[in-house]
Amino acid sequence: MSAPAARILMVEDDSEIGRLVGDFLRREGFELTLAADAEAMDEALAQARPDLLILDLMLPGEDGLSICRRLRGGDSLPILMLTAKSDEIDRVVGLEMGADDYLTKPFGPRELLARVRALLRRAQAAPSRPASRRFAFDRFVLDLDARGFEPAEPGREPIALTSAEFDLLACFVQHPRRVLTRDQLLDWTHGRNDGRNADPYDRSIDMLVSRLRKKLEAAGASADLVATVRNGGYLFKAEVRRLS
């Protein structure tokens, strides 16, 4: 029985480059999923973890450096950064943000293939370790596996959240510093995945955010940790890092 094809997720807003690279890598035996921006990438990652991420530096909305920094906190997913910038400082910044390799546009398909295969070999040779699902922000620690939320200071009591409040906080922590619409929050906290728009009279998310804010503030969090974005949604403003 042959080994399953390696799964590659490519985040590229240029549809022509995405199509050409996608066709080429599929012909070479890879499974390839395309995402045009960070939001589409997050949705793809929520469905299945790839073996390799090809990430364009210049993207609409959240750029490749920010994505790389967000994903890299304790996650071992190999990342190949693509960019039109060829300056040494740009390559250094990309690698320091956590990219495993760096390829400048325009590139030849054979060089891309060689780098993809090299990264996959290195990843397969490295001892596997499940990615931590514990996150630190402000003065708190959120543990997704244990569904625990507690102050980072040792010896403090856990903070009681309802299941819905915990799920909402988990959404924010996994998507920090991004505006999340009410539709997205309804999808992720209610398990809704049918593409419907939120009922404009459904204020359940707003009430849930209000309850969560009160609990965070009562526990000592910054008052503006969850900001309301007019005609946009909500923004979790904390710097989040994944704990090892």
Side-chain angles (χ1 to χ4, degrees):
M1 179 180 297
S2 60
R7 297 185 300 274
I8 297 174
L9 173 58
M10 182 175 186
V11 190
E12 171 62 74
D13 64 317
D14 187 317
S15 59
E16 183 63 13
I17 292 178
R19 184 185 65 79
L20 291 172
V21 172
D23 289 347
F24 172 72
L25 290 178
R26 290 188 185 102
R27 286 198 300 272
E28 294 296 328
F30 297 98
E31 289 185 12
L32 191 118
T33 301
L34 286 171
D37 54 24
E39 181 178 339
M41 180 200 71
D42 287 337
E43 292 174 0
L45 288 175
Q47 297 296 319
R49 178 184 169 83
D51 298 298
L52 173 71
L53 179 68
I54 298 177
L55 179 62
D56 188 32
L57 177 63
M58 303 299 291
L59 292 168
E62 185 177 12
D63 65 26
L65 289 179
S66 175
I67 292 172
C68 194
R69 182 171 55 242
R70 174 161 64 88
L71 293 179
R72 186 47 82 213
D75 196 313
S76 58
L77 175 64
I79 298 176
L80 172 60
M81 185 84 78
L82 301 181
T83 180
K85 296 183 176 181
S86 58
D87 292 344
E88 180 182 7
I89 186 63
D90 295 312
R91 295 195 300 272
V92 169
V93 170
L95 294 171
E96 288 185 340
M97 287 297 103
D100 296 283
D101 200 359
Y102 198 97
L103 187 55
T104 303
K105 299 177 181 176
F107 52 82
R110 288 293 161 191
E111 181 177 7
L112 171 68
L113 180 62
R115 290 177 184 270
V116 164
R117 285 175 171 165
L119 283 175
L120 290 171
R121 281 197 303 272
R122 283 158 50 187
Q124 291 167 358
S128 61
R129 187 183 65 174
S132 166
R133 293 190 358 123
R134 297 176 70 241
F135 299 86
F137 66 92
D138 201 72
R139 61 194 68 182
F140 306 102
V141 173
L142 184 75
D143 189 327
L144 297 186
D145 291 323
R147 291 187 71 80
F149 179 51
E150 59 189 16
E153 183 180 343
R156 300 287 299 277
E157 291 293 322
I159 300 164
L161 297 178
T162 66
S163 179
E165 291 163 355
F166 183 92
D167 290 342
L168 178 62
L169 181 58
C171 289
F172 284 136
V173 167
Q174 292 179 95
H175 304 86
R177 301 188 173 190
R178 283 183 51 196
V179 176
L180 301 179
T181 66
R182 294 170 67 241
D183 277 346
Q184 289 173 317
L185 293 172
L186 281 168
D187 287 345
W188 294 337
T189 59
H190 291 62
R192 201 190 70 177
N193 194 27
D194 57 8
R196 292 178 298 164
N197 293 326
D199 181 342
Y201 299 104
D202 183 353
R203 313 309 298 179
S204 60
I205 279 295
D206 304 300
M207 291 187 287
L208 188 58
V209 170
S210 177
R211 293 208 313 264
L212 179 61
R213 278 175 170 152
K214 290 178 181 176
K215 289 196 175 182
L216 291 173
E217 290 179 28
S222 305
D224 62 345
L225 197 60
V226 181
T228 302
V229 179
R230 186 177 176 82
N231 298 323
Y234 294 100
L235 174 70
F236 191 64
K237 299 172 69 175
E239 179 80 26
V240 177
R241 61 188 176 89
R242 192 188 294 259
L243 300 175
S244 58

